[in-house]
Amino acid sequence: QVMLRTHCISMTGGSLAQALGNEGLQELQGWISTAHEVEHDRAAAKELSGRVFAHLLKVVTSLQCRLQGSEGIVTDLQAKADGLEEERRALTRRAERIERDRDEIVRRCGEARAATKNARQEAAPMLERFMEAEVLRNHLQTVEADVLRLREELGECQAEAACTSSSLRVAEEAQTESK
């Protein structure tokens, strides 16, 4: 019992004064102060030590009850700690998986950028030729419009020449006849 009392006091971080309480401590101090007196009798000492021991038993019983109550709390806290540890492990695994996925995406993004750069480099000559073709197409459209305009002008000129040539023939015939 003394071992249990000492253990409980050391577990709770308390002192003998805390274990005895005010009443028990006063009785013990009274007994110690009267112990050196000659008329102090053994029966009184026995009675006092019995009361101190009874009080200590009450304290020990109280501490045992608190300890038993604390065991449930410790068990609950341990279960929570285990649950939190498992959750931490799961979150760590998830974070590692996300980091791997991110690294894969970064790698693929780099590959896509390199492929895009290569495609642009390969497409650059074709794009240049396309632009030249567009310039030539626009030039061709302008030339075709000029050709149509010139054909119309040619038709007008030919009609005018035909009209002028027939007037000239009539004039030449009239001049030949008048001679």
Side-chain angles (χ1 to χ4, degrees):
Q1 288 176 345
V2 173
M3 184 89 127
L4 178 63
R5 177 176 43 95
T6 307
H7 179 68
C8 287
I9 291 171
S10 68
M11 288 276 296
T12 60
S15 64
L16 182 61
Q18 287 174 327
L20 290 176
N22 286 336
E23 182 184 321
L25 190 58
Q26 286 174 358
E27 286 183 30
L28 183 60
Q29 285 174 342
W31 181 77
I32 292 172
S33 66
T34 59
H36 66 281
E37 296 176 9
V38 177
E39 65 263 1
H40 185 62
D41 90 353
R42 271 187 166 298
K46 239 182 187 181
E47 179 187 335
L48 180 62
S49 68
R51 285 194 311 228
V52 168
F53 185 73
H55 190 69
L56 279 175
L57 277 176
K58 285 180 192 176
V59 170
V60 167
T61 304
S62 170
L63 289 175
Q64 283 178 332
C65 289
R66 288 174 69 189
L67 178 64
Q68 287 173 351
S70 297
E71 285 176 354
I73 293 171
V74 168
T75 302
D76 290 346
L77 289 175
Q78 186 61 45
K80 283 182 183 179
D82 291 344
L84 289 173
E85 178 62 21
E86 184 58 36
E87 186 177 343
R88 183 199 63 78
R89 282 191 210 119
L91 289 173
T92 300
R93 286 190 302 268
R94 182 175 178 207
E96 288 170 351
R97 189 175 338 114
I98 288 170
E99 286 176 358
R100 284 192 307 269
D101 291 348
R102 183 208 59 210
D103 292 345
E104 176 65 18
I105 289 169
V106 167
R107 183 189 62 76
R108 288 174 53 195
C109 185
E111 290 174 356
R113 283 187 181 136
T116 301
K117 183 179 177 184
N118 289 339
R120 283 185 181 157
Q121 288 175 346
E122 289 175 9
M126 287 187 277
L127 182 61
E128 189 175 323
R129 283 185 289 227
F130 175 76
M131 296 304 285
E132 288 173 0
E134 283 297 310
V135 168
L136 291 175
R137 185 176 298 128
N138 287 336
H139 184 67
L140 178 63
Q141 288 173 349
T142 304
V143 169
E144 285 176 345
D146 286 344
V147 167
L148 284 176
R149 184 182 52 78
L150 290 173
R151 279 191 181 154
E152 287 176 6
E153 286 179 13
L154 178 63
E156 289 172 8
C157 288
Q158 284 174 345
E160 189 179 317
C163 190
T164 305
S165 88
S166 79
S167 297
L168 184 59
R169 228 179 314 168
V170 168
E172 280 178 2
E173 283 178 9
Q175 191 179 19
T176 16
E177 279 184 17
S178 59
K179 285 198 189 183

